[in-house]
Amino acid sequence: KYWDTHQYGGSQKKPSFYGVAGKLLGKVKVALGLDRCVACYVGAAPIEVKIIEYFASIDIPIFDLFGASECTGPHTTNTKDAWKIGTCG
């Protein structure tokens, strides 16, 4: 699975036809405005792993974030260079 290889410690290999899928999905991303999105985060409520895996499979990783507004916001998060589904920082 693409998202497994692109998480922290993965091989970073791209599957066959990744370029073709990128061109097709690129048009969808532009239509939705996601081409301008720098990063996507979730942290207010639990999210199902299958939702995060779906977005990761179309090259839109959603990073987990931990923090509390009464403590000045985010404390720990994942980054594009070091992310793993189900972890937070």
Side-chain angles (χ1 to χ4, degrees), residues 7-89:
Q7 293 180 61
Y8 185 71
S11 67
Q12 305 297 313
K13 290 179 14 181
K14 294 184 178 175
S16 303
F17 301 106
Y18 179 80
V20 174
K23 288 185 182 199
L24 294 173
L25 291 173
K27 292 179 182 181
V28 173
K29 286 182 183 179
V30 170
L32 294 174
L34 292 172
D35 61 319
R36 294 175 276 148
C37 182
V38 177
C40 298
Y41 294 94
V42 64
I47 186 169
E48 290 188 51
V49 172
K50 66 182 178 183
I51 295 171
I52 295 175
E53 288 176 344
Y54 170 74
F55 279 98
S57 74
I58 58 172
D59 206 20
I60 302 173
I62 298 176
F63 306 120
D64 287 311
L65 178 130
F66 172 77
S69 58
E70 61 270 12
C71 297
T72 68
H75 292 286
T76 182
T77 186
N78 291 318
T79 65
K80 190 164 181 84
D81 295 329
W83 66 283
K84 192 160 188 75
I85 293 173
T87 66
C88 193

